[in-house]
Amino acid sequence: MLSGLRGGAKAQRYAQNAPVNIFIRTIIVCLMLLSPLFAAPQAVAGQGVVTGVRTGVHTDKTRLVLDMTEGVEFQVFVLDKPYRVVIDLPEVAWQTRPDAQYHKGLIKGMRFGLFEAGTSRIVIDVSGPVKVHRAFVLPPKGSSKYRFVVDLVAVQSNEFRRLIATPRSKPVKKVVPSATPAQTNGSRKANAKPVIVIDAGHGGVDPGTIGVSGSHEKEVTLAVALELRKKLQRSGKYKVVMTRDRDVFVRLRRRVARGRAAKGDLFVSLHADSIRKRSVRGASVYTLSEKSSDKEAAALAAKENKADIIAGMDFGDQSKDVANILIDLAQRETMNLSATFASLVVDELASSVRVLRRSHRFAGFAVLKAPDVPSVLIEMGYLSNREDERILRSPKRRAALVSALARSIDTYFAKR
Ligand SMILES: [Zn+2]
C-alpha cells in the first residue's frame, strides 16, 4: 500500500503543512534510514496493526501512544467547532476498540477506524484549543514494537486560530471510485428492475451510537444492510446498490450522491438509536421535512447529522448542495413517495417487530435530502435497551426485521 508514488505524493503534502508536519517528515525520513523494515519491500506493508492505545497526563502535556507493528507515515491537523485533533494514517487494522477510557487530560474522547479505502483516521475530541506539540514514531526497542507518540498541549485561542488557518491539503488521498453505484446515464428502460439503495448508517471512524453492552451501531447497520441486500437480490426483482458494504466511513452527502448516481428508486438508510431511559425500545421510521414532527425527531436528526463531525470532517469545503436543498416541486413529489413507503414500512414492522408509539415521524435528516430519490431513515431499535440490542445483534432474530423490510419494498413496488 505504501508505494513509492504515494510516499512522494505525501511528501508534497507534508511540505505544505505546519512546522510540526515538516518535523514529522524529518522523523520519518530518519526512521526510514535507521530501520531495516522500511528498507524491505513494502508490498505488504500497508496493513500495519495497532495493538494498543494509551493516554497519559503529564504536567505540561497530554500524551497519546499507539503501539504498532510497523512504522507509518501520518498527517495531523486540528479542527474547531468542536475542537478536534485528527490523525490520518495509511489503512491499518485495529486490535483495540475505542471507548470511554480515553477521557484524560485534554482528551475528552476518541474514535478510530477506516476513513476511506487506504486511510485510517483517529479523531480526538479535545477540551479546548490545543496544538500537536510533537508527533513521532519510535522504532522497536526490546520487546516493544513501534510506538507512535502524539503530545498535545493547550494553547491560547489566537495561536489555535493561526494553526487552523495554516493551508492544508485534503486530509485524504484521491477518492477510490466505489464499485457499487451504477453510473448509467439517461432514463432507465421501462422494464428495468427498480434500484434499491441500502445505506448502512455510520462506519469506520464513526461508530454511531454505542449499545448497553458495547455494540456499535455501525456494525448492526452493516449486518442488516448485507442481509437485506442478499434477500432482495435473491428475489431477482431488484438491483441493489450499497452506500457502503464494509466498515468504512462515508460522509453524508456522498451517501446521497451515490443514491442519485445510481438512479435509485428507493433509498433506505438503516440506523439504531440509543436513549438514556433504558426501558424504551422499538423501531421507528423517519422521512425528510423542513419542520420536525416533534422535539425528539429534531434531536435525533441533529444527532445523526453529526456523523461527519464525528469522523473529523472539516466543513470549510461544504458546498450548499445537501445543506440547503430547496424543497421544490420535484422534491415534494419525492417526499410524498417517501411518506407512502414509510407508512408501508411501519405497517410491516408493526406486524413483526416492536415499534414506537408514533412510528412515522419527520425531521431534517441530511442523508434523506436527495431531491429525486424517495428516501426513508429507519431506526431499527434502541441499542440502549438490552432486548433490542440482543435482537439487533443476533442474525437469527434480525431475520424478522429483514423480512419486514423486504415485504414493505415489495408492496411499494407492487402498488406502483
Ligand atoms: Zn445512526
Side-chain angles (χ1 to χ4, degrees):
M1 285 259 183
L2 282 179
S3 69
L5 251 178
R6 256 196 84 191
K10 281 201 171 194
Q12 279 184 352
R13 201 161 74 196
Y14 288 122
Q16 294 173 12
N17 278 317
V20 67
N21 280 342
I22 295 164
F23 173 69
I24 289 164
R25 174 141 180 79
T26 312
I27 295 276
I28 290 165
V29 170
C30 293
L31 275 173
M32 288 171 94
L33 294 174
L34 287 173
S35 164
L37 253 186
F38 278 103
Q42 296 182 338
V44 292
Q47 269 289 4
V49 180
V50 179
T51 54
V53 178
R54 291 170 277 135
T55 50
V57 180
H58 303 252
T59 45
D60 54 339
K61 62 184 177 253
T62 300
R63 174 167 277 188
L64 166 71
V65 181
L66 266 63
D67 297 308
M68 310 189 71
T69 56
E70 292 180 28
V72 286
E73 292 190 19
F74 53 89
Q75 187 191 29
V76 293
F77 54 95
V78 289
L79 294 172
D80 59 355
K81 296 176 196 162
Y83 292 116
R84 285 158 293 163
V85 175
V86 179
I87 304 165
D88 282 340
L89 312 166
E91 190 169 330
V92 290
W94 305 89
Q95 270 182 8
T96 175
R97 283 171 75 106
D99 61 38
Q101 71 186 350
Y102 300 117
H103 190 140
K104 240 183 211 178
L106 298 166
I107 298 175
K108 277 167 57 189
M110 190 156 57
R111 301 169 287 286
F112 39 79
L114 193 58
F115 178 70
E116 65 171 33
T119 307
S120 287
R121 172 169 283 193
I122 304 165
V123 184
I124 306 167
D125 297 316
V126 284
S127 51
V130 301
K131 72 171 180 186
V132 178
H133 178 57
R134 280 176 12 121
F136 50 94
V137 178
L138 290 169
K141 197 176 147 198
S143 61
S144 72
K145 298 262 173 84
Y146 285 90
R147 278 157 297 156
F148 173 35
V149 182
V150 179
D151 286 340
L152 304 176
V153 299
V155 292
Q156 299 293 327
S157 44
N158 51 358
E159 186 176 353
F160 183 80
R161 271 198 299 278
R162 267 203 305 280
L163 288 174
I164 287 262
T166 309
R168 171 169 62 82
S169 57
K170 294 271 179 200
V172 291
K173 65 181 181 58
K174 213 169 116 261
V175 171
V176 177
S178 162
T180 36
Q183 298 292 339
T184 51
N185 285 316
S187 57
R188 204 172 329 107
K189 279 181 247 135
N191 59 353
K193 290 175 184 176
V195 177
I196 314 296
V197 184
I198 306 177
D199 175 49
H202 312 275
V205 67
D206 167 25
T209 199
I210 311 286
V212 62
S213 61
S215 57
H216 285 184
E217 180 183 355
K218 67 173 183 177
E219 291 161 1
V220 166
T221 61
L222 182 59
V224 174
L226 293 172
E227 287 155 9
L228 182 59
R229 172 171 75 175
K230 201 167 168 189
K231 193 156 194 98
L232 294 177
Q233 280 177 337
R234 272 200 186 150
S235 76
K237 289 188 278 194
Y238 308 103
K239 178 171 187 270
V240 182
V241 169
M242 309 280 280
T243 58
R244 69 176 180 101
D245 56 9
R246 62 181 185 131
D247 186 17
V248 62
F249 169 74
V250 182
R251 65 186 304 184
L252 294 171
R253 71 175 187 196
R254 190 160 168 74
R255 294 170 189 262
V256 176
R258 281 188 183 170
R260 299 189 69 194
K263 300 198 176 298
D265 293 287
L266 210 49
F267 181 95
V268 182
S269 188
L270 300 170
H271 290 259
D273 202 1
S274 71
I275 194 169
R276 204 183 293 243
K277 206 171 157 197
R278 290 194 171 179
S279 58
V280 176
R281 53 176 300 214
S284 48
V285 181
Y286 295 82
T287 49
L288 178 67
S289 161
E290 277 181 309
K291 247 182 134 178
S292 306
S293 55
D294 52 274
K295 244 193 250 159
E296 291 80 26
L300 177 70
K303 192 160 75 176
E304 297 290 9
N305 290 348
K306 266 195 198 139
D308 289 354
I309 291 177
I310 302 255
M313 295 301 301
D314 185 356
F315 284 95
D317 66 336
Q318 174 83 297
S319 69
K320 292 191 173 73
D321 53 0
V322 169
N324 291 309
I325 285 177
L326 288 173
I327 297 184
D328 59 12
L329 281 175
Q331 192 166 14
R332 207 152 280 158
E333 164 71 3
T334 303
M335 287 166 82
N336 289 339
L337 292 173
S338 305
T340 303
F341 178 59
S343 65
L344 292 171
V345 175
V346 167
D347 288 349
E348 286 296 345
L349 290 179
S351 67
S352 54
V353 301
R354 187 188 281 250
V355 292
L356 285 184
R357 203 153 37 86
R358 283 169 302 149
S359 325
H360 177 199
R361 296 147 89 178
F362 330 97
F365 292 91
V367 79
L368 303 181
K369 287 192 173 174
D372 43 7
V373 186
S375 307
V376 305
L377 183 143
I378 301 169
E379 295 283 348
M380 302 179 290
Y382 285 88
L383 292 177
S384 45
N385 176 273
R386 283 200 183 278
E387 186 56 16
D388 269 11
E389 190 191 42
R390 263 200 287 271
I391 292 170
L392 288 171
R393 286 184 97 169
S394 153
K396 224 171 150 185
R397 299 184 70 184
R398 280 196 300 257
L401 172 77
V402 172
S403 295
L405 294 176
R407 276 198 308 276
S408 54
I409 292 169
D410 282 345
T411 313
Y412 175 80
F413 286 102
K415 284 189 174 166
R416 280 174 62 71

